């Protein structure tokens, strides 16, 4: 009987795979026949400036996306917060199970410096016949009847995160054209302040809990693995940001008259930062890595990620990696401390022979599930105090300057904690199966993403697991000038999202 059961199971799996392959063919045919319309909708969305602080335009984009979901049969609303609205949508398929999928994206983008973009306006997307760094030239979209997979759309938020939102809409269209409805109730929540730390996302739970409950949350954000293979990520690191300001004299002083006597805050800040990490990049702050263990099952998943580390170092332009983990995947299982910016006095043609009055470091700490933002902040504070510094919250007054030798102002963000879903979670297993059936091979499974998606409180309060299913090319210049989306990845993402919507 056991043999009969195995034969029946194999037959069922084979039938499921055959059905998925047929569905994939139908979806890809739909995308191929409707490429121009799909990309036109993407270009329309990208043409609305979407920096979170630009209230007028961010609301225009929210309203545009609300209308786009309604056009597909979703109930769609703008959920008002104390900041930018959330865009909420829900689709109840007639034959859907009682299960609910909640899909998360953000519709805001990073701020831009237009002078560093190779196009007149980052919010007027352009089409290039290849990657900019490889000589890709701007081509006329309207003059093209067919679109090549290697062409790229350049524009702010093309990959992070407007592309995935439009791909979701196209996936619904493609399923409808194939006569198929989503197999579960689909809910969508679009955040308009993710790039600003999502300060109003978690507070929205109390107001709109009944619209946000689900069995599984899927995050359509971030890049695929560098191999380009379908990817499933089980968690994301959190973040804590700090600004450290070390003080010297009240005003910059002539380095000839006062050098060797007046304290130099730039040198002091350099030493303070150097005290936090060793030469191999490991953080020296007491308790920084406390509580983190990687078991055999987790290590198996880490080792299964097909990273080509030598090629990645060549592509990124360095030869010596830090020594926190033996591999990139192991390294991002630990919290990191990163100096993201430094400022003191002037450099280049503006350099002056002075002792600076202050020096500033912007620092980010990426957190993992085992490291709480508040607890990590306290560890960093204790380390700074152990280096002989008096910590202040505001610029020091004269009395403080007279009484204290070493003064540092520390300012912090509220912080966003990490989340991570267990590898054997049944919801996660089903999603991996669905993507495997659609593409004919298992996806790359990553235990943790290096980036941050500020949904940990969302998950904890609403009590559902979360997975990240990234879809865009890994070399998309995310958060940087010349952000882009490769069309082949965009078209494939429509198929992947369709697999998700029919997973139950």
């Amino acid at each position: 009987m056991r043999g009969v059961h195995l034969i029946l199971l194999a037959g069922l799996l084979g039938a499921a795979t055959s059905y998925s392959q047929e569905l994939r063919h139908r979806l890809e045919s739909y995308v191929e026949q409707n490429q121009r319309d799909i990309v036109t909708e993407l270009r329309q969305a990208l043409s609305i400036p979407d920096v979170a602080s630009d209230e007028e335009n961010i609301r225009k984009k929210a309203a545009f996306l609300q209308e786009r979901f309604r056009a597909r049969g979703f109930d769609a609303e703008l959920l008002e917060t104390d900041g930018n609205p959330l865009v909420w949508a829900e689709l109840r398929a007639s034959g859907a199970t009682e299960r609910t999928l909640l899909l998360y994206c953000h519709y805001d983008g990073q701020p831009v410096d237009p002078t560093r973009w190779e196009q007149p306006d980052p919010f007027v997307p352009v089409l290039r016949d290849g990657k900019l760094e490889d000589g890709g030239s701007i081509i006329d979209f309207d003059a093209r009847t067919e679109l090549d997979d290697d062409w790229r759309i350049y524009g702010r938020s093309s990959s992070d995160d407007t592309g995935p939102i439009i791909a979701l809409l196209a996936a619904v269209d493609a399923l409808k054209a194939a006569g198929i409805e989503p197999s579960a109730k689909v809910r969508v929540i679009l955040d308009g302040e993710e790039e600003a730390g999502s300060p109003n996302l978690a507070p929205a739970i109390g107001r709109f809990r009944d619209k946000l409950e689900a069995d599984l949350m899927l995050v359509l954000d971030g890049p695929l693995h560098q191999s380009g293979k379908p990817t499933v990520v089980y968690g994301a690191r959190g973040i804590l940001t700090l600004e450290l300001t070390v003080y010297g004299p009240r005003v910059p002083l002539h380095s000839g008259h006062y050098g060797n006597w007046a304290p130099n805050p730039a040198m002091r800040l350099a030493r303070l930062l150097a005290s936090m990490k060793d030469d191999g990049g490991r953080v020296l702050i007491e308790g920084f890595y406390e509580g983190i263990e990687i078991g055999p099952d987790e290590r198996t998943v880490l080792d299964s990620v097909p990273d080509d580390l030598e090629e990645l170092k060549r592509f990124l332009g360095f030869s010596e990696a830090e020594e926190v983990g033996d591999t990139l995947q192991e390294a991002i299982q630990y919290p990191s401390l990163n100096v993201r910016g430094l400022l003191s006095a002037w450099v280049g043609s503006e350099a002056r022979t002075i002792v600076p009055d202050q020096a500033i470091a912007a620092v980010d700490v990426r957190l993992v599930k085992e490291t709480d933002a508040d607890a990590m902040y306290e560890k960093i504070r204790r380390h700074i105090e152990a280096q002989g510094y008096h910590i202040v919250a505001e610029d020091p007054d004269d009395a403080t300057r007279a009484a204290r030798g070493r003064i540092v102002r520390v300012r912090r963000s509220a912080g966003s904690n990490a989340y991570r879903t267990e590898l054997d979670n049944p919801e996660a297993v089903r999603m991996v199966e669905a993507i495997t059936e659609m593409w004919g091979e298992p996806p790359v499974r990553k235990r943790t993403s290096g980036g941050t998606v500020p949904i940990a409180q969302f998950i904890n309060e609403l009590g559902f697991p979360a997975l990240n299913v990234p879809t865009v090319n890994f070399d998309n210049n995310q958060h940087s000038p010349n952000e882009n989306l490769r069309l082949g990845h965009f078209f494939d993402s429509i198929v992947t999202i369709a697999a998700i919507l029919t997973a139950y």
Side-chain angles (χ1 to χ4, degrees):
M1 288 299 293
R2 183 173 180 272
V4 172
H5 288 159
L6 290 173
I7 292 171
L8 289 173
L9 178 59
L12 290 171
L13 291 174
T17 301
S18 177
Y19 169 77
S20 295
Q21 295 300 300
E22 172 60 23
L23 176 57
R24 173 183 165 185
H25 174 72
R26 293 162 71 184
L27 294 170
E28 289 177 331
S29 295
Y30 173 86
V31 172
E32 184 176 359
Q33 294 166 15
N34 294 273
Q35 284 180 342
R36 286 188 55 82
D37 289 342
I38 296 169
V39 175
T40 294
E41 188 168 38
L42 173 61
R43 294 173 72 216
Q44 291 171 342
L46 294 175
S47 297
I48 306 172
D50 57 10
V51 178
S53 59
D54 183 355
E55 183 177 346
E56 179 180 357
N57 279 308
I58 205 76
R59 282 192 168 271
K60 286 182 181 178
K61 186 154 187 178
F64 172 86
L65 293 171
Q66 177 191 22
E67 187 277 328
R68 294 290 81 206
F69 277 97
R70 284 179 173 172
R72 272 75 176 190
F74 284 77
D75 294 329
E77 300 177 28
L78 299 186
L79 305 182
E80 295 297 338
T81 73
D82 291 338
N84 297 333
L86 300 168
V87 181
W88 176 86
E90 180 180 86
L91 183 65
R92 296 174 178 264
S94 58
T97 66
E98 294 299 314
R99 306 185 69 74
T100 301
L101 296 178
L102 178 63
L103 303 179
Y104 171 92
C105 295
H106 61 89
Y107 69 93
D108 66 320
Q110 281 277 327
V112 300
D113 177 357
T115 64
R116 299 185 63 188
W117 285 69
E118 297 297 323
Q119 62 198 67
D121 187 341
F123 294 111
V124 178
V126 299
L127 180 65
R128 291 183 180 272
D129 60 3
K131 189 176 177 181
L132 174 65
E133 292 83 351
D134 295 335
S137 300
I138 295 176
I139 56 178
D140 184 358
F141 174 79
D142 294 326
R144 305 289 173 161
T145 57
E146 295 183 359
L147 303 176
D148 189 280
D149 282 353
D150 283 329
W151 294 353
R152 299 188 181 214
I153 293 282
Y154 279 79
R156 177 53 90 215
S157 80
S158 54
S159 60
D160 185 29
D161 223 6
T162 300
I165 297 172
I166 302 304
L168 167 60
L169 294 170
V172 173
D173 292 340
L175 287 172
K176 183 176 181 180
I180 298 171
E181 293 185 311
S183 56
K185 180 166 63 178
V186 178
R187 286 177 167 172
V188 179
I189 192 73
L190 306 182
D191 185 358
E193 298 176 315
E194 195 269 354
E195 301 294 10
S198 297
N200 293 295
L201 181 61
I205 296 172
R207 301 185 198 178
F208 308 113
R209 178 178 291 271
D210 62 327
K211 295 180 180 293
L212 301 172
E213 292 176 339
D215 296 286
L216 174 66
M217 185 177 192
L218 290 169
V219 179
L220 303 179
D221 191 8
L224 289 164
H225 182 261
Q226 69 184 94
S227 65
K229 293 182 177 181
T231 304
V232 174
V233 186
Y234 292 79
R237 294 202 287 187
I239 192 169
L240 170 68
T241 61
L242 305 171
E243 184 180 86
L244 311 179
T245 302
V246 173
Y247 296 89
R250 186 179 291 105
V251 296
L253 299 176
H254 189 291
S255 64
H257 297 323
Y258 295 100
N260 287 348
W261 189 70
N264 187 306
M267 291 296 295
R268 285 188 169 179
L269 177 61
R271 290 194 179 95
L272 176 60
L273 295 173
S275 74
M276 297 181 181
K277 299 183 80 169
D278 66 18
D279 288 345
R282 288 189 61 85
V283 176
L284 300 173
I285 295 169
E286 185 175 355
F288 195 82
Y289 302 118
E290 188 174 22
I292 300 168
E293 297 182 1
I294 301 175
D297 292 343
E298 290 81 8
R299 193 166 295 281
T300 297
V301 170
L302 299 182
D303 292 342
S304 72
V305 178
D307 288 336
D308 184 341
L309 296 180
E310 292 307 312
E311 170 58 23
L312 188 57
K313 285 190 287 186
R314 185 203 64 77
F315 177 80
L316 297 175
F318 64 86
S319 62
E320 185 177 317
E322 292 194 328
E323 300 170 2
V324 178
D326 291 336
T327 65
L328 172 61
Q329 296 306 316
E330 183 181 353
I332 61 177
Q333 308 309 308
Y334 296 92
S336 65
L337 187 148
N338 174 61
V339 178
R340 60 179 185 166
L342 290 168
L343 177 66
S344 186
W346 300 269
V347 298
S349 62
E350 297 294 316
R352 306 170 192 186
T353 50
I354 52 94
V355 176
D357 58 328
Q358 63 182 27
I360 304 172
V363 174
D364 65 66
V365 179
R366 295 287 179 166
L367 307 166
V368 295
K369 189 175 181 180
E370 294 83 356
T371 56
D372 174 78
D374 291 338
M376 187 64 83
Y377 174 65
E378 287 305 317
K379 292 174 182 178
I380 295 170
R381 276 186 61 95
R382 287 197 295 270
H383 178 87
I384 293 172
E385 288 174 338
Q387 309 311 305
Y389 280 89
H390 174 67
I391 297 175
V392 295
E394 302 295 338
D395 289 336
D397 56 21
D398 288 345
T400 302
R401 285 177 175 273
R404 301 286 183 172
R406 297 188 176 191
I407 304 169
V408 60
R409 185 184 70 197
V410 179
R411 290 180 173 172
R412 64 162 288 189
S413 66
S416 173
N417 284 326
Y419 75 91
R420 189 171 64 238
T421 295
E422 295 303 318
L423 299 171
D424 60 355
N425 180 279
E427 301 287 351
V429 171
R430 181 64 200 118
M431 278 299 146
V432 169
E433 289 175 348
I435 294 172
T436 300
E437 290 167 5
M438 182 65 76
W439 287 107
E441 63 175 334
V444 175
R445 296 192 300 156
K446 298 177 68 175
R447 185 171 181 249
T448 298
S449 167
T452 297
V453 183
I455 61 170
Q457 188 172 348
F458 224 62
I459 295 166
N460 293 336
E461 290 199 25
L462 291 168
F464 45 57
L467 295 173
N468 186 0
V469 183
T471 61
V472 304
N473 46 296
F474 92 101
D475 57 348
N476 63 69
N477 293 341
Q478 184 177 351
H479 290 198
S480 299
N482 304 310
E483 180 181 348
N484 66 87
L485 175 62
R486 182 179 176 273
L487 291 184
H489 286 78
F490 176 58
F491 296 144
D492 285 348
S493 73
I494 297 169
V495 178
T496 296
I497 294 171
I500 288 168
L501 297 181
T502 56
Y504 292 111

